[in-house]
Amino acid sequence: MMKPDVLKVPFERGVSFFQRAFLDRWQAATLSIAGLVLIPLAVVLFSVFSETNEVWLHFVQTSLVTLLTNTFWLLLGVGVGTTFLGVSLAWLTAACDFPGRRWLDWALMLPLSLPPYVVAFVSIGLLDFTGPVQTQLRLWLGVERLWFPRIRSTGGVIAVMTLTLYPYVYMLARNAFLTQGRRAIEAAQSLGQGRFRGFLGVALPMARPWIVGGLALVLMETLADFGTVSIFNYDTFTTAIYKAWFGLFSLSAAAQLASLLVFIVFVVLLIEQRSRSRRRFSHAGRSSVADRISLRGGRGWLAFAYAISVLGIAFIIPVGQLSVWAFGVFRQDFDLRYLSFLGHSVFLGGAAALLTCAGALILVSANRLRNDLMTRTAVRVATLGYALPGSVLAVGIFIPLIWIDKQMIEWIQTLFGIEIGFILSGTLAAMLLAYLIRFLAVAHGAVDSAMNRITPSLDETARCLGVSGIPLLRKVYLPLLRGGLLTAALLVFVDVMKEMPITLMTRPFGWDTLSVRIFEMTSEGEWERAALPAVALVLTGFIPILLLSRYSSREP
Amino acid sequence: MVVYSARNEQLIKPLFDAYTKETGARVKFITDKEGPLLERLKAEGEHTPADLLITVDAGNLWRAAQEGLLKPTQSTVLQENIPAHLRDPENRWFGLSVRARTIVYNTQKVKPSDLSTYEDLADPKWKGRLCLRTSKKVYNQSLVAMMISEHGEPKTEQIIKSWVGNLATDVFSDDTQVMKAIAAGQCDVGIVNTYYYGRLLVKEPTLPLALFWPNQNGSGVHVNISGAGIIKHAKHEQAALKLLEWLSSQKAQNLFSDTDMEYPANPKIAPDKRVASWGSFKQNLINVSKAGELQDEAVKLMDRAGYK
C-alpha cells in the first residue's frame, strides 16, 4: 500500500504578500464559477418558500413510497452494474493483453455516444411482446404465449441505463489503470499475492478516486434522467418532478422536489470527499505496455468474449437496429439541412468542451493550491448543475438570463430612448454558459482524478525552483493533466451533443442540432424517424473517441 | 413574426412556408415542450419576441391563458371557422385541428357490437384484454378530465380503477405500442389518438386493427385540439392575427390536419381521404377548456386509482 501523507506542503510560510494576493485570485476564480452555478440553483431552491402543501400531500398519500423505493433500486442497480462493467473492462483493456484488446480499448467507449432514451426505445422495440425476438419465438414454438423476461421492468431499465452509462466509469478507471505504476502491484506479487488479489488489494484501491468520480457522474445522470424512465414508464423521483410541473401545473412543487434532489447529491458528494481527503493517490513509478499481464489461450479468448458481448449488447445491436430504421426513412427525411444540424452539434460540443475544461482546470488547480474549506465547498457547489433534471435546470438558467436582459433593455431605453430586443438570451454565449453550468461536473471528475495522480513532491520541487502560480500550472500541471483533460473534453463533447432540454430552451433561432432533430421526431412518437439523427450522432461521436484513444495509447 | 411552438417542426414548417409564399410575411419559430415554453414566456414578460403560441393540447393553452400570457382576439373569421367547443370562451385561443381519442380493437378477436363506450371498457368482460398508454400523457389526462366533468369524481374513479383492473399488461409509453400489442394479440382493445392509427396503418396496412367510435348514443367521442393563441405582449399582433385567421382557412386547414392525419377544426373542411375512410362520428361538445381546468384533478384521480 502506498503511504499517505507523504508530505505536508508548507504553504503559508515564506509566502510574500504578492504571492498571497495571487493565491486569492484562485479563490476568487473558484468562487465566481461556483456563483455562476449557484444562480440557477438558487432560482430552483427559491421555490422552497412557495406554498405547495396540496401537491405534496397528494404525493405522500399516493406514490411517494413507490417513487423513493424505485429510485433507490435504480440507483443501486445502475451503480453496481456500471461499476462492475466499467472497472472490469478497464482493467482488462488497460492492464492485460488479449485478442482484440487494441480496438476493444476504444470501441468500448462508443456506447457513450448513444442517448440512453434511444437505447431504451430500441430495446423495448426488440424485446417486448410485439418485438421481433418474442414474435419469432412464438412462431417457432407455435404458441400464443410464452414465458420471456419482462423488458419493461425494474431489471430492464437498470440494464439499459447500465449499458449506456458504464463508459463514464470505464473511461475514468481506464485512465487510472493506464497511469498507475505497476511497481506496487509487482511488489504485491513478489510478496506472494496472486494477480487477482493484487488487483483487488492494490490496483483497485489505488484507482478509487477515478472509479468514484465516474460512478458519481453515472449516479447523478441516473437521478436526473427523465427520458429513459419515461419510456419504461418506471416512476422515479424525476418523473414525479415532471408530473408536478406538466401534469399538476405546479412548477413550484417540481422545483421543491428538485431542490431535495440537489441537497441529497450535495451531502453525498461531501461525505465521499471527506472519506478520501486524507489519502493521496499519486504516481508511483512509470509503467509500460510491456508490463501488461498477458492472458494466454482460453483466458484471453474468455476476456475477448466478455468484452465483445458487452459491446455487442450495448452498441452493435442498438446501432444496427437504428441503422435499419434510418435507412428506411433516409430518402424521406434526409436533406442538406443535416449538414447544418451536424455543424451546429459539433461546434456547440467542441466550444462547450473547451469552455468546460477550462472551468474544470481552474477549479481543480485552485483546489490544489488553496485546499481550504471555502474552496472545497465552492468546487462541490460548482459541480451540482449535473444533478438537476435538464428542463428544471434550463428554466433556472433562463430566468436570470432574461432578468439581466430586461435590466439592459431598460437602461438603454432610459439612456438612449430606443427600444431593443434581448441581447444575452438567444445568443450562443448564453447557450455555452448554460452548458458550462450543466457539464462542469463531467469535466471536473476527469480532471480532478488526473490531478490526484500528480505527486505533491512535484509541487515542492517546483516551488524550490521558484516556479509557482500560473507558470506552475502551465509548465508542471498541464502536461501531466493532458490525459485527464482530453477525457473530460470527450465526455463533455458527446454529452452536449446528446443534450436536449437546455439546447431546446436556449438555442438561437435556426440553431437546430441533431438532438433537436431527435426531439422533433420523438415528441410525436415517431421513433423510427428519430433513428436518422441518432445514427448521425453516433457517427460524429466516433471521431473524438478515435482521437482520444490514439492519444492515450501513446501515453507511457 | 415569431412563433413559439410545441407542435413539432415537421408539422408546422410546411404551413409557414406556404404562408410566406402566399403573403410574403416571414415567420420565425422555435420549438420546445409546452412546460418550458410557458416558463419562457412568463420570464420574458412584456419584452418577449413571441407573437403566437402553438400547442398540441387544450390543457396547456388553457393554462397559458390562465397565467395571463394570451390576449383575447375579436375576429369574425375565427368565430365562423372554429366551432365554439374548440375555442376559448374568452377568445384567447383557438383550436386548429381536432385530435380524436377513440377505441381501437383487434378485428380478429372483437366484434364492433361488443364495443359501446369508454366507460364500458371498465366492464369485467374486458378483464386481461385492455391495453392503455401511461396516465402521464396529456391525452389521457384530458380524456379523464372530460369524464370527470361528465360523471363527477367518484364515478370516474370507479371506472378508472376498473380499467386498471382489466389491463392485460403494464401501461405503455406511447399509442403505437398500444396498437402493436393489440395487433400481436397481447390484448384486444385500447384507447388511442386516430392519427397514430393512421401512421401505423400506412406502414403496416395488414395489421388486424380497426377504430371504433364510442359514446355515439351519449356525449360523443373525446376530442382534443392542437391550437394557438396570440401572446399578450405580441409586437406584431395584427400579423399574428392574420396568420391565425389564415390557419383556420380552407387551404391551411387541409395542410394543418392532413400532414398528420388529424381532423380539420373547421367543420366546413373535409378531412384527408384516408382519414375520411375511418367514418364520421359525433364529437363530444363539452368545451375543450375543461381539459385544462380539470387536468390536475384528473392526474390525482388516476394516481389514486393506481393508473400509472
Side-chain angles (χ1 to χ4, degrees), chain A residues 336-351 428 493 496-497 510-515 536-537 540:
Chain A
L336 284 177
R337 287 188 307 161
Y338 264 82
L339 286 180
S340 81
F341 301 146
L342 186 75
H344 292 155
S345 285
V346 170
F347 172 81
L348 288 172
L428 289 179
F493 179 84
V496 166
M497 291 219 310
W511 263 77
D512 287 358
T513 65
L514 291 173
S515 70
L537 206 67
T540 320

Side-chain angles (χ1 to χ4, degrees), chain A residues 229-278:
Chain A
V229 290
S230 356
I231 288 166
F232 277 90
N233 202 34
Y234 184 76
D235 291 346
T236 64
F237 213 73
T238 308
T239 55
I241 291 175
Y242 284 96
K243 181 180 272 182
W245 183 4
F246 298 158
L248 301 171
F249 292 146
S250 175
L251 179 60
S252 318
Q256 285 174 356
L257 288 162
S259 307
L260 200 63
L261 208 66
V262 172
F263 178 73
I264 294 167
V265 170
F266 185 65
V267 170
V268 171
L269 285 177
L270 277 185
I271 293 171
E272 199 286 320
Q273 198 175 33
R274 266 190 85 88
S275 77
R276 65 168 154 119
S277 62
R278 287 176 184 285

Side-chain angles (χ1 to χ4, degrees), chain A residues 398 401-402 405 422-427 430 506, chain B residues 40 44:
Chain A
F398 197 77
L401 266 177
I402 288 291
D405 259 344
F422 292 129
I423 304 164
L424 208 57
S425 67
T427 63
T506 59
Chain B
R40 185 170 177 160
E44 290 172 343

Side-chain angles (χ1 to χ4, degrees), chain A residues 54 58 130 145 150 152 233 235 243 246-247 249 251 337 402 406 505 507 517 520-521 524, chain B residues 8-10 31 39-40 43 63 99 134 136 170-172 180 185-186 199 295 300 303:
Chain A
E54 205 207 349
H58 169 72
T130 56
R145 306 260 155 165
R150 274 173 54 227
R152 294 184 297 130
N233 202 34
D235 291 346
K243 181 180 272 182
F246 298 158
F249 292 146
L251 179 60
R337 287 188 307 161
I402 288 291
K406 279 184 181 167
M505 196 154 189
R507 74 196 195 277
R517 212 62 215 148
E520 302 283 13
M521 299 304 179
E524 283 289 344
Chain B
N8 57 15
E9 196 252 8
Q10 62 268 33
T31 52
E39 291 312 313
R40 185 170 177 160
R63 177 159 176 248
R99 304 185 138 194
T134 170
K136 289 180 205 72
D170 295 337
V171 294
F172 292 92
K180 284 186 173 169
Q186 194 172 15
R199 276 190 221 154
Q295 181 173 315
K300 289 179 185 165
D303 273 347

Side-chain angles (χ1 to χ4, degrees), chain A residues 303-323:
Chain A
F304 172 78
Y306 171 52
I308 197 83
S309 15
V310 173
L311 186 67
I313 299 169
F315 188 75
I316 298 171
I317 293 176
V319 171
Q321 173 68 79
L322 286 172
S323 307

Side-chain angles (χ1 to χ4, degrees), chain A residues 17-32:
Chain A
F17 173 76
F18 180 77
Q19 276 169 314
R20 206 170 287 158
F22 179 76
L23 286 177
D24 283 341
R25 266 196 247 166
W26 285 111
Q27 287 179 320
T30 315
L31 285 181
S32 30

